């Protein structure tokens, strides 16, 4: 009888100790999570060779990436939300003619801009997207407006612009977006009857995106693009597709991808990252390697992605020779890179 | 020494037996797989009550579902492909004014049709989609054309129609699609300033879709819809989104979903089915139950889906009170249902 009682006491003691341990761990985790914040951006992946880019052009890209990530980082540091940080960083890249989004986006076959963007919030799984807009200065802002105030997830073309006007957005003339370089590129592509020129492959990619984790432990992801040079037929790529170009879920990760959009849609790339983490138990880095170096090449797709898990760990993988990218952690440690 | 030798012989014998067994199983599996074919269709899920539908209307729905599934089944029996079967079945549903796709689709705020469709092939992961077309008699045909001959996955609006013309499609006038019932419904909704009328909730859903497994062991899925009654702003729902409304992968399953499109996009429903099977080891039925009865209700989404695994096993789940649906196996066993 004594032996049985002793055993009971021992078991209860053990349960007690384990419970305390578990509470302690949970508490530590939550605390760490609530304080930690992190941000990463990309400005597109592609087969860019160092010799194609002058040192000064490389410096210009790096300076703009730095400006964008610092803007997002500052918001996170001041206890802003991940959505606000993603918006601020993407706005700066959209406003720069260096990237294929907003001002300086590639032009379609009619020599007009046709812009796509999407956003997703990891806490609520709320999402917003716009496709084929040509009069919205910052398409990511309209994607956020769609998410918050339309009752829909995805609006396209003139309808999306009508919604924008009703929500108080100012329209800009199409000429705002058009740069001399992009005009040359689309005219050259039209002459050669191709959507991309091999020596100007940089025109193919250059989508911008951002992932962030805020002090509240919430993830967000956003993507903005002009699509592909000389595109026709109202083509929609992966950037405005939730699950392909953009995905965020506090359970797993936030993802923004950049690459050959058709392959990224077929691979449901952004949600696949989340599914590999949630269902197959992969880390964000393992998932990114699987998607970018195994699954996409098997399909025939080239490009890259940036991803962040709910602890702020960042993965930036690409199977091309370069990807404009930057990351910055809580301590302000900055990394800005173009090539491998 | 003898003992060790005996042990080796025993191990080799065991390996030999197991290898034979495994080869035999593989062979049987392949044979069964190559012969088996199966098809399922849906005509939309919604909160439809029996008392809202006269017996004759129920019979009309069942007759059209039967006609559609038999057309697809006949193609599979004659060794046609899963894509051909999906197309044939969906064409019949698109041509019928009973369903919210093709002729008789719901109308947008401007009292015009705005149709979406998508298709995916499980063997190649090739996919095609069109969004916001209003002059294409059978949007699923154009989605197949996009998949096979555009170099893209998704085309929208007037651009998609221009592609169609260049590929030899005939355009139909918008009046072709418009029925008296749908006109009444959109005008009533405009008066009441809502996208849906509670007593005409049937107008909200009614998307059509098909999944099939052919004699070659290949899966395919397709979806076609008019979206939601009185929709505005170029709204795109889940139906033309690969990974949300439609997905097919020979590794796992083919899926066509129908429901509150915004929630289905945010849940990446169709690809989630595949990921739950591939990464979490769920059966097609378990995956469908998880998505439709757990994950979608958590998000707030109502609707259903049809799914088929690569052995031809069918799941048709919905969290509404009804879903127009039918299935037919190799032996021609037909099941046609509307309510639970």
């Amino acid at each position: 009888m004594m032996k049985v009682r002793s055993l009971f006491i021992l078991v209860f003691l053990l349960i007690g100790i384990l419970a305390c341990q578990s509470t302690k761990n949970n508490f530590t985790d939550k605390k760490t999570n609530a304080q930690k914040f992190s941000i990463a951006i990309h400005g597109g992946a592609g087969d860019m060779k160092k010799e194609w880019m002058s040192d000064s052009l490389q410096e210009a890209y790096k300076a703009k990436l730095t400006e964008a990530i610092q803007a997002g980082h500052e918001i996170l540091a001041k206890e802003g939300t991940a959505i606000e940080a993603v918006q601020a960083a993407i706005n700066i890249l959209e406003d720069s003619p260096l990237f294929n989004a907003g001002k300086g986006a590639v032009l379609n076959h009619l020599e007009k801009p046709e812009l796509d963007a999407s956003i997703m919030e990891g806490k609520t799984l709320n999402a917003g997207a716009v496709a084929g807009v040509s009069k919205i200065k910052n398409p990511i802002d309209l994607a956020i407006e769609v998410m918050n105030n339309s009752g829909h997830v995805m609006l396209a073309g003139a309808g999306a612009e009508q919604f924008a006007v009703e929500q108080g957005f100012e329209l800009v003339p199409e000429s705002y977006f058009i740069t001399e370089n992009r005009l040359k590129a689309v005219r050259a592509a039209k002459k050669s009857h191709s959507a991309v020129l091999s020596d100007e492959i940089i025109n193919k990619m250059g989508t911008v995106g951002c992932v962030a984790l805020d002090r509240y432990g919430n993830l967000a992801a956003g993507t903005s693009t002009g699509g592909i040079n000389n595109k026709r037929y109202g083509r929609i790529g992966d950037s405005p597709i939730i699950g392909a170009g953009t995905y965020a879920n506090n359970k797993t990760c936030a993802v923004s991808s950049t690459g050959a959009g058709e392959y990224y849609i077929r691979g449901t790339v952004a949600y696949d990252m989340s599914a590999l983490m949630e269902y197959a138990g992969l880390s964000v880095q393992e998932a990114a390697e699987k998607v970018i170096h195994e699954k996409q090449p098997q399909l025939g797709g080239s490009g890259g992605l940036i991803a962040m898990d709910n602890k702020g760990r960042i993965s930036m993988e690409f199977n091309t020779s370069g990807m404009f990218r930057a990351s910055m952690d809580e301590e302000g440690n900055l990394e800005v890179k173009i090539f491998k």
Side-chain angles (χ1 to χ4, degrees), chain A:
Chain A
M1 204 45 202
M2 267 305 281
K3 263 189 191 169
V4 173
R5 198 181 294 169
S6 303
L7 198 67
F8 265 114
I9 290 169
L10 194 69
V11 167
F12 276 118
L13 266 172
L14 264 172
I15 290 174
I17 290 166
L18 285 171
C20 283
Q21 196 65 30
S22 147
T23 313
K24 197 183 148 204
N25 279 345
N26 274 344
F27 180 71
T28 318
D29 268 16
K30 268 189 191 156
K31 215 179 147 197
T32 319
N33 230 357
Q35 292 180 331
K36 232 182 186 173
F37 64 91
S38 185
I39 183 165
I41 58 173
H42 70 80
D47 279 320
M48 25 181 139
K49 296 219 169 77
K50 257 191 183 164
E51 49 272 30
W52 295 350
M53 291 175 79
S54 66
D55 285 353
S56 65
L57 186 58
Q58 287 182 41
E59 285 316 307
Y61 273 110
K62 284 183 178 174
K64 194 50 79 174
L65 288 167
T66 304
E67 184 190 337
I69 202 156
Q70 280 175 339
H73 189 269
E74 199 175 329
I75 286 172
L76 296 174
K78 286 180 182 163
E79 310 201 346
T81 68
I83 291 283
E84 288 165 344
V86 166
Q87 180 178 21
I90 290 183
N91 280 173
I92 287 171
L93 302 174
E94 284 177 331
D95 292 346
S96 161
L98 288 171
F99 300 94
N100 177 16
K103 188 178 186 69
V106 298
L107 303 173
N108 70 12
H109 192 69
L110 304 172
E111 304 184 1
K112 291 182 175 208
E114 218 172 273
L115 309 165
D116 305 329
S118 63
I119 187 100
M120 190 159 180
E121 189 173 64
K123 184 184 179 186
T124 56
L125 302 185
N126 280 339
V130 292
V133 295
S134 55
K135 291 168 193 158
I136 306 297
K137 181 169 174 275
N138 293 103
I140 195 73
D141 294 2
L142 186 53
I144 293 170
E145 192 68 29
V146 169
M147 171 171 76
N148 291 334
N149 297 312
S150 77
H152 296 304
V153 169
M154 190 172 187
L155 304 181
E161 282 159 358
Q162 193 197 329
F163 170 74
V165 170
E166 290 179 19
Q167 296 301 115
F169 278 63
E170 269 181 42
L171 300 186
V172 294
E174 287 172 4
S175 60
Y176 163 78
F177 299 98
I178 301 175
T179 64
E180 202 50 46
N181 276 347
R182 299 301 194 188
L183 212 49
K184 258 193 236 168
V186 71
R187 286 175 184 167
K190 280 160 79 173
K191 258 192 196 161
S192 75
H193 299 287
S194 87
V196 227
L197 289 175
S198 56
D199 58 340
E200 288 215 50
I201 206 139
I202 216 170
N203 280 314
K204 187 180 167 189
M205 298 167 180
T207 296
V208 309
C210 180
V211 292
L213 174 70
D214 62 29
R215 283 187 188 271
Y216 315 101
N218 294 325
L219 287 165
T223 310
S224 183
T225 192
I228 52 176
N229 187 35
N230 193 27
K231 66 183 172 183
R232 300 181 70 180
Y233 310 127
R235 176 257 188 192
I236 296 178
D238 63 319
S239 298
I241 307 288
I242 298 301
T246 300
Y247 189 76
N249 189 333
N250 279 2
K251 256 193 191 171
T252 52
C253 61
V255 184
S256 170
S257 57
T258 164
E262 278 69 14
Y263 297 94
Y264 277 55
I265 294 177
R266 291 165 55 203
T268 326
V269 160
Y271 180 65
D272 200 22
M273 287 286 301
S274 176
L276 283 165
M277 291 178 68
E278 185 176 357
Y279 304 144
L282 268 55
S283 70
V284 68
Q285 180 59 27
E286 288 165 345
E289 285 173 14
K290 190 165 186 72
V291 167
I292 295 301
H293 301 299
E294 277 180 51
K295 297 185 77 172
Q296 273 298 306
Q298 273 167 25
L299 259 188
S302 65
L305 60 79
I306 56 171
M308 181 178 288
D309 73 8
N310 54 19
K311 305 275 184 255
R313 284 179 288 242
I314 295 165
S315 175
M316 308 204 260
E317 286 297 317
F318 50 101
N319 57 33
T320 51
S321 55
M323 179 165 82
F324 299 107
R325 63 200 186 278
S327 65
M328 204 169 186
D329 66 14
E330 194 172 357
E331 286 80 34
N333 295 314
L334 175 68
E335 204 181 278
V336 190
K337 287 185 175 175
I338 302 177
F339 304 102
K340 267 192 182 146

